[in-house]
Amino acid sequence: LGLIILHLLASIAQAQGGPEVLVVDATGPVTPIMLSLIERAIVEADTRNAEALIIRLDTPGGSVELTQRIIQAMIGADVPVVVYVAPRDAIAGSAGALITMAGHASAMAPNTVIGAASPIDSSGADIQSTRETKVKETLKAKARTLVEDRGEEAVKLAEAMIDEATAVTAKEALEANLIDFISDDTEDLLQSLDGFKVKMEDGERTLGTENIRTENVEINFIEQLLLML
């Protein structure tokens, strides 16, 4: 039934006049609900053949396991996934930093912060001793694979976020080439993305986002129920 609804939505979108960008707000701790919302948004964007999916991210972080599943979903997407740390004063803390690094493109709003990516467990507690070392080394290796194409400064910053819980401003992240843009709002981001080249699993793709239509992916009934538990 879900797939039938998505196909119907895709047909409606095409009838309404061509390409679109889907936008989903991922706010609060990284929980199973956030994972569900992002996975569902990716499936919907793929099904509707969207030009891109923008994840507006504002999170203090969450568990390593859930973060890895979100990253896997993003990397495996057929549609370009853009992570936008927003609105102003938002943070991409801890797991949020890694999710931002995993975007095919990434941006931050002014007055936002990214970093402090030292690992925690599923309960939100710090991971201790030998397990901490193992998890940190795994996360550093993952971070390197996500940002190695961005250059040495980006790799150093990503590793420092995990090793030393370093956090930086949007301007500092841009200077290190950890992100692609600083954008005032979603419209500003869409202007920056127009003509921007992203690397997908099937090759390079050039985004066309000038005057493109946007549509939000809202939290569904089941996810709302889970929030209340």
Side-chain angles (χ1 to χ4, degrees):
L1 179 60
L3 288 176
I4 293 174
I5 293 173
L6 289 178
H7 283 298
L8 288 173
L9 289 173
S11 299
I12 292 171
Q14 290 173 357
Q16 288 177 338
E20 62 184 343
V21 169
L22 298 191
V23 181
V24 63
D25 290 314
T27 61
V30 177
T31 64
I33 300 167
M34 182 182 288
L35 169 64
S36 171
L37 180 59
I38 290 175
E39 286 182 331
R40 184 166 57 82
I42 289 172
V43 170
E44 185 167 341
D46 283 345
T47 303
R48 293 169 65 159
N49 197 28
E51 185 71 11
L53 169 68
I54 295 176
I55 300 174
R56 286 193 298 226
L57 184 67
D58 181 9
T59 179
S63 80
V64 172
E65 292 82 3
L66 292 175
T67 301
Q68 290 174 332
R69 290 177 63 183
I70 289 173
I71 290 172
Q72 287 171 352
M74 292 168 60
I75 291 174
D78 291 327
V79 63
V81 179
V82 180
V83 181
Y84 178 34
V85 183
R88 289 172 182 254
D89 298 319
I91 63 172
S94 188
L98 290 167
I99 293 170
T100 305
M101 295 176 205
H104 297 104
S106 56
M108 297 173 67
N111 304 323
T112 55
V113 173
I114 184 171
S118 296
I120 60 174
D121 62 22
S122 58
S123 69
D126 289 336
I127 296 173
Q128 300 297 324
S129 64
T130 303
R131 184 173 175 233
E132 177 186 18
T133 301
K134 290 180 178 179
V135 173
K136 277 187 174 182
E137 289 303 313
T138 300
L139 290 179
K140 283 165 60 181
K142 171 59 71 175
R144 287 195 297 272
T145 67
L146 296 174
V147 303
E148 59 188 356
D149 290 342
R150 292 181 172 275
E152 184 178 347
E153 288 304 310
V155 172
K156 284 182 178 179
L157 178 55
E159 290 189 331
M161 288 179 176
I162 296 165
D163 260 340
E164 304 162 21
T166 297
V168 298
T169 65
K171 182 179 179 181
E172 290 167 332
L174 184 64
E175 288 173 347
N177 202 33
L178 191 73
I179 62 171
D180 299 299
F181 313 106
I182 295 177
S183 303
D184 291 333
D185 51 32
T186 304
E187 288 302 316
D188 186 29
L189 174 60
L190 289 171
Q191 290 180 22
S192 297
L193 288 170
D194 188 50
F196 187 74
K197 292 179 171 56
V198 295
K199 291 183 178 179
M200 306 294 294
E201 287 191 337
D202 60 355
E204 191 173 73
R205 195 176 306 179
T206 301
L207 297 176
T209 55
E210 183 177 10
N211 299 321
I212 199 167
R213 184 166 50 88
T214 62
E215 184 170 337
N216 289 344
V217 178
E218 305 292 349
I219 190 168
N220 65 22
F221 178 70
I222 293 175
E223 290 158 352
Q224 287 176 337
L225 282 180
L226 292 173
L227 277 174
M228 294 185 291
L229 295 179

